[in-house]
Amino acid sequence: MRYESFPYAPEERQETTRERAERQRQERRAELTYTAKDQKRWAENRERVLAERKLAEEWKPVGGNFPLLVYQTQNKMDDFDAPDMTFGDEDRFKIESYGLMQPFSQSVNYDPDNIASDGSHTSLSEDQFSLPASEHFERMRSLGKVFSNVTVGSILGFETSSVFSEMVDKFERNEGGYYNNPLLDKALKEHETTARFHQALKKCLEESLQNGKLPDNIVDISSRYLGKGGKRPSNLPHFPISKKSLFDGTVLTIHGIWSMRVYVENLEYKGNQIRGTFKYEIQDHFGLDVRDIDHNSFDGIKENDGKPYEWLEGFRSWYLLQHFKEYGYQPFITKMDFSL
């Protein structure tokens, strides 16, 4: 039997190390050789990225109708029906019942013209309800001599020290209505409690911004975020008692506010930041209610403890002038407006 040999296939020549290195070098050179098409595509991508980055870095207007209300307290503005705005509404029997020791029903003064042999002054009792209104106003002003002294204020640089005197003058004119003073506007605008509230409000708006707009219920959102704003909440702008405020007149004139609204007049955003002009409208009442003069450490009401303002003669006169039927002087609303 005749055998035929298999077809001969020559062996492939092996690439030498030098040849392989040269081939790889040529391939890398080819990869680094960009065509005009590549250059154009990359240029377009670069321009698009730069445009997007620039747009992201620019401030853009927030959509909506401005001015836009973004916060308000539960207590309403222009509230002439609030408890501390009533006047001429109580009789003697009612007022005499206030306070632990009922200081309205008894009062002891000293007669400066009647000095006993031991050098002491003879005590005199008086009927506070029969004093002339002018005497009560003089006693109100005595509060200002202690807590809002104009002379001391001018020395220490307290600009608002003269405001309480002006407010007592308006109260004595019995005209009601509104009162405003640029010095109070400035003092509350620059106060640290206002700065804290403003930063918290901005943070709330920044977190609520969606697709360049604020939600339609932004007032509800901010009220929940910042607190409902009930009776003199501590998170709102106010003048807390401090060494300075005790003598610059702000505690006597304002202390805690009654109501507030905040509008945004214009608003822009960039990323998760916002900026704009915020208009603050704030009101308080220059008047007293029962809670201001009926303190009793044994009545179970914690907020009444340690605040016996009814023992201050000037506060009793203030309350009598406003609420006793025989006087009935009208309180008024203090307005403070400013922009941040």
Short mmCIF file of all heavy atoms in Angstrom, two decimals, residues 284-315:
data_model
loop_
_atom_site.label_atom_id
_atom_site.label_comp_id
_atom_site.label_asym_id
_atom_site.label_seq_id
_atom_site.Cartn_x
_atom_site.Cartn_y
_atom_site.Cartn_z
N ASP A 284 -45.75 94.91 67.87
CA ASP A 284 -45.97 94.60 69.28
C ASP A 284 -46.99 95.57 69.82
O ASP A 284 -47.34 96.56 69.16
CB ASP A 284 -44.65 94.67 70.07
CG ASP A 284 -44.80 94.10 71.47
OD1 ASP A 284 -45.53 93.09 71.62
OD2 ASP A 284 -44.21 94.65 72.41
N HIS A 285 -47.49 95.31 71.03
CA HIS A 285 -48.53 96.14 71.62
C HIS A 285 -47.99 96.88 72.83
O HIS A 285 -47.40 96.25 73.72
CB HIS A 285 -49.73 95.29 72.04
CG HIS A 285 -50.31 94.49 70.91
ND1 HIS A 285 -50.99 93.31 71.10
CD2 HIS A 285 -50.31 94.71 69.57
CE1 HIS A 285 -51.38 92.83 69.94
NE2 HIS A 285 -50.98 93.66 69.00
N PHE A 286 -48.19 98.18 72.85
CA PHE A 286 -47.83 98.96 74.03
C PHE A 286 -49.04 98.95 74.96
O PHE A 286 -49.81 99.91 75.04
CB PHE A 286 -47.44 100.39 73.64
CG PHE A 286 -46.82 101.17 74.78
CD1 PHE A 286 -45.51 100.93 75.14
CD2 PHE A 286 -47.54 102.14 75.47
CE1 PHE A 286 -44.92 101.65 76.19
CE2 PHE A 286 -46.96 102.85 76.50
CZ PHE A 286 -45.66 102.60 76.87
N GLY A 287 -49.19 97.82 75.61
CA GLY A 287 -50.31 97.63 76.51
C GLY A 287 -50.06 96.43 77.39
O GLY A 287 -49.18 95.61 77.11
N LEU A 288 -50.81 96.31 78.48
CA LEU A 288 -50.65 95.21 79.42
C LEU A 288 -51.93 94.39 79.46
O LEU A 288 -53.03 94.89 79.20
CB LEU A 288 -50.37 95.75 80.83
CG LEU A 288 -49.15 96.65 81.00
CD1 LEU A 288 -49.04 97.13 82.45
CD2 LEU A 288 -47.87 95.95 80.58
N ASP A 289 -51.77 93.10 79.78
CA ASP A 289 -52.94 92.27 80.07
C ASP A 289 -52.76 91.64 81.43
O ASP A 289 -51.77 91.88 82.13
CB ASP A 289 -53.18 91.23 78.98
CG ASP A 289 -52.02 90.25 78.82
OD1 ASP A 289 -51.24 90.09 79.77
OD2 ASP A 289 -51.89 89.66 77.73
N VAL A 290 -53.71 90.82 81.84
CA VAL A 290 -53.71 90.26 83.19
C VAL A 290 -52.44 89.47 83.47
O VAL A 290 -51.91 89.50 84.60
CB VAL A 290 -54.96 89.35 83.39
CG1 VAL A 290 -54.90 88.66 84.75
CG2 VAL A 290 -56.23 90.18 83.27
N ARG A 291 -51.91 88.80 82.47
CA ARG A 291 -50.72 87.99 82.69
C ARG A 291 -49.51 88.83 83.08
O ARG A 291 -48.54 88.32 83.64
CB ARG A 291 -50.39 87.18 81.43
CG ARG A 291 -51.42 86.13 81.06
CD ARG A 291 -51.09 85.51 79.73
NE ARG A 291 -50.92 86.53 78.70
CZ ARG A 291 -50.37 86.32 77.51
NH1 ARG A 291 -49.91 85.13 77.21
NH2 ARG A 291 -50.27 87.29 76.63
N ASP A 292 -49.56 90.13 82.78
CA ASP A 292 -48.43 91.00 83.12
C ASP A 292 -48.43 91.43 84.58
O ASP A 292 -47.38 91.81 85.11
CB ASP A 292 -48.44 92.25 82.23
CG ASP A 292 -48.18 91.92 80.77
OD1 ASP A 292 -47.24 91.15 80.51
OD2 ASP A 292 -48.91 92.42 79.90
N ILE A 293 -49.60 91.37 85.25
CA ILE A 293 -49.65 91.91 86.61
C ILE A 293 -50.31 90.97 87.62
O ILE A 293 -50.52 91.36 88.77
CB ILE A 293 -50.39 93.29 86.62
CG1 ILE A 293 -51.73 93.21 85.86
CG2 ILE A 293 -49.52 94.36 85.98
CD1 ILE A 293 -52.85 92.65 86.64
N ASP A 294 -50.61 89.75 87.23
CA ASP A 294 -51.25 88.81 88.14
C ASP A 294 -50.36 87.59 88.35
O ASP A 294 -50.64 86.50 87.85
CB ASP A 294 -52.62 88.38 87.60
CG ASP A 294 -53.43 87.57 88.62
OD1 ASP A 294 -53.11 87.67 89.82
OD2 ASP A 294 -54.35 86.85 88.21
N HIS A 295 -49.29 87.76 89.11
CA HIS A 295 -48.34 86.68 89.32
C HIS A 295 -48.51 86.11 90.72
O HIS A 295 -48.63 86.84 91.70
CB HIS A 295 -46.90 87.19 89.13
CG HIS A 295 -46.68 87.76 87.77
ND1 HIS A 295 -46.62 89.11 87.52
CD2 HIS A 295 -46.51 87.16 86.57
CE1 HIS A 295 -46.42 89.32 86.23
NE2 HIS A 295 -46.35 88.15 85.64
N ASN A 296 -48.48 84.79 90.76
CA ASN A 296 -48.72 84.10 92.02
C ASN A 296 -47.90 82.82 92.03
O ASN A 296 -48.14 81.92 91.22
CB ASN A 296 -50.22 83.79 92.16
CG ASN A 296 -50.57 83.19 93.51
OD1 ASN A 296 -49.71 82.68 94.22
ND2 ASN A 296 -51.84 83.27 93.87
N SER A 297 -46.95 82.70 92.92
CA SER A 297 -46.08 81.53 92.96
C SER A 297 -46.80 80.27 93.39
O SER A 297 -46.25 79.18 93.33
CB SER A 297 -44.91 81.79 93.92
OG SER A 297 -44.12 82.87 93.46
N PHE A 298 -48.05 80.41 93.84
CA PHE A 298 -48.78 79.26 94.34
C PHE A 298 -49.98 78.89 93.47
O PHE A 298 -50.81 78.08 93.86
CB PHE A 298 -49.27 79.54 95.77
CG PHE A 298 -48.17 79.90 96.72
CD1 PHE A 298 -47.92 81.22 97.03
CD2 PHE A 298 -47.36 78.92 97.27
CE1 PHE A 298 -46.91 81.57 97.90
CE2 PHE A 298 -46.33 79.26 98.14
CZ PHE A 298 -46.10 80.59 98.45
N ASP A 299 -50.06 79.49 92.28
CA ASP A 299 -51.23 79.20 91.45
C ASP A 299 -51.01 78.06 90.47
O ASP A 299 -51.88 77.73 89.68
CB ASP A 299 -51.68 80.46 90.69
CG ASP A 299 -50.60 80.99 89.74
OD1 ASP A 299 -49.55 80.33 89.61
OD2 ASP A 299 -50.81 82.06 89.14
N GLY A 300 -49.79 77.46 90.47
CA GLY A 300 -49.52 76.34 89.58
C GLY A 300 -49.16 76.73 88.17
O GLY A 300 -48.94 75.87 87.32
N ILE A 301 -49.13 78.02 87.87
CA ILE A 301 -48.78 78.49 86.52
C ILE A 301 -47.32 78.90 86.55
O ILE A 301 -46.95 79.94 87.10
CB ILE A 301 -49.67 79.67 86.09
CG1 ILE A 301 -51.14 79.27 86.15
CG2 ILE A 301 -49.30 80.12 84.67
CD1 ILE A 301 -52.10 80.40 85.84
N LYS A 302 -46.46 78.07 85.94
CA LYS A 302 -45.02 78.26 86.04
C LYS A 302 -44.58 79.59 85.46
O LYS A 302 -43.68 80.25 85.99
CB LYS A 302 -44.30 77.11 85.34
CG LYS A 302 -42.78 77.15 85.49
CD LYS A 302 -42.14 75.94 84.87
CE LYS A 302 -40.63 75.97 85.05
NZ LYS A 302 -39.98 74.78 84.44
N GLU A 303 -45.20 80.01 84.34
CA GLU A 303 -44.74 81.24 83.67
C GLU A 303 -45.00 82.48 84.52
O GLU A 303 -44.45 83.54 84.26
CB GLU A 303 -45.41 81.39 82.31
CG GLU A 303 -46.90 81.65 82.39
CD GLU A 303 -47.52 81.85 81.01
OE1 GLU A 303 -46.86 81.53 80.01
OE2 GLU A 303 -48.65 82.34 80.96
N ASN A 304 -45.83 82.37 85.54
CA ASN A 304 -46.10 83.52 86.40
C ASN A 304 -45.11 83.68 87.54
O ASN A 304 -45.09 84.69 88.23
CB ASN A 304 -47.51 83.40 87.01
CG ASN A 304 -48.59 83.72 86.00
OD1 ASN A 304 -48.29 84.20 84.91
ND2 ASN A 304 -49.83 83.45 86.35
N ASP A 305 -44.31 82.66 87.78
CA ASP A 305 -43.40 82.68 88.92
C ASP A 305 -42.24 83.64 88.69
O ASP A 305 -41.66 83.69 87.62
CB ASP A 305 -42.85 81.28 89.19
CG ASP A 305 -43.95 80.30 89.57
OD1 ASP A 305 -45.06 80.77 89.84
OD2 ASP A 305 -43.68 79.09 89.59
N GLY A 306 -41.91 84.37 89.72
CA GLY A 306 -40.72 85.23 89.68
C GLY A 306 -40.86 86.47 88.85
O GLY A 306 -39.87 87.11 88.52
N LYS A 307 -42.09 86.87 88.48
CA LYS A 307 -42.28 88.08 87.67
C LYS A 307 -43.34 88.99 88.30
O LYS A 307 -44.34 89.31 87.67
CB LYS A 307 -42.71 87.72 86.25
CG LYS A 307 -41.80 86.76 85.52
CD LYS A 307 -42.41 86.38 84.19
CE LYS A 307 -41.59 85.35 83.47
NZ LYS A 307 -42.21 84.92 82.20
N PRO A 308 -43.15 89.38 89.53
CA PRO A 308 -44.19 90.19 90.20
C PRO A 308 -44.16 91.65 89.78
O PRO A 308 -43.90 92.55 90.59
CB PRO A 308 -43.84 90.01 91.67
CG PRO A 308 -42.35 89.86 91.68
CD PRO A 308 -42.02 89.11 90.41
N TYR A 309 -44.42 91.90 88.50
CA TYR A 309 -44.38 93.28 88.01
C TYR A 309 -45.40 94.17 88.70
O TYR A 309 -45.24 95.39 88.73
CB TYR A 309 -44.61 93.31 86.49
CG TYR A 309 -43.58 92.55 85.71
CD1 TYR A 309 -43.95 91.64 84.72
CD2 TYR A 309 -42.23 92.74 85.95
CE1 TYR A 309 -43.00 90.94 84.00
CE2 TYR A 309 -41.26 92.05 85.22
CZ TYR A 309 -41.66 91.14 84.25
OH TYR A 309 -40.72 90.44 83.54
N GLU A 310 -46.46 93.58 89.26
CA GLU A 310 -47.49 94.38 89.93
C GLU A 310 -46.96 95.05 91.20
O GLU A 310 -47.59 95.97 91.73
CB GLU A 310 -48.72 93.53 90.26
CG GLU A 310 -48.45 92.36 91.18
CD GLU A 310 -48.11 91.10 90.42
OE1 GLU A 310 -47.67 91.20 89.24
OE2 GLU A 310 -48.28 90.00 90.98
N TRP A 311 -45.78 94.61 91.67
CA TRP A 311 -45.20 95.26 92.83
C TRP A 311 -44.44 96.52 92.45
O TRP A 311 -44.01 97.28 93.33
CB TRP A 311 -44.29 94.29 93.59
CG TRP A 311 -45.10 93.32 94.41
CD1 TRP A 311 -45.37 92.02 94.12
CD2 TRP A 311 -45.76 93.61 95.64
NE1 TRP A 311 -46.17 91.47 95.09
CE2 TRP A 311 -46.42 92.42 96.04
CE3 TRP A 311 -45.86 94.74 96.45
CZ2 TRP A 311 -47.18 92.34 97.21
CZ3 TRP A 311 -46.61 94.66 97.62
CH2 TRP A 311 -47.26 93.47 97.99
N LEU A 312 -44.27 96.75 91.16
CA LEU A 312 -43.66 98.00 90.70
C LEU A 312 -44.77 99.03 90.51
O LEU A 312 -45.72 98.82 89.76
CB LEU A 312 -42.91 97.78 89.39
CG LEU A 312 -41.67 96.90 89.46
CD1 LEU A 312 -41.09 96.67 88.07
CD2 LEU A 312 -40.61 97.50 90.38
N GLU A 313 -44.63 100.14 91.18
CA GLU A 313 -45.66 101.17 91.17
C GLU A 313 -46.00 101.63 89.76
O GLU A 313 -47.17 101.83 89.41
CB GLU A 313 -45.17 102.36 92.01
CG GLU A 313 -46.21 103.40 92.31
CD GLU A 313 -45.64 104.47 93.22
OE1 GLU A 313 -44.71 105.19 92.78
OE2 GLU A 313 -46.10 104.58 94.37
N GLY A 314 -44.96 101.76 88.94
CA GLY A 314 -45.19 102.23 87.57
C GLY A 314 -46.01 101.26 86.74
O GLY A 314 -46.83 101.69 85.92
N PHE A 315 -45.83 99.95 86.95
CA PHE A 315 -46.63 98.96 86.22
C PHE A 315 -48.09 98.97 86.69
O PHE A 315 -49.01 98.79 85.89
CB PHE A 315 -46.03 97.56 86.38
CG PHE A 315 -44.99 97.25 85.33
CD1 PHE A 315 -43.64 97.41 85.60
CD2 PHE A 315 -45.37 96.81 84.07
CE1 PHE A 315 -42.68 97.13 84.63
CE2 PHE A 315 -44.43 96.52 83.09
CZ PHE A 315 -43.07 96.69 83.39
#
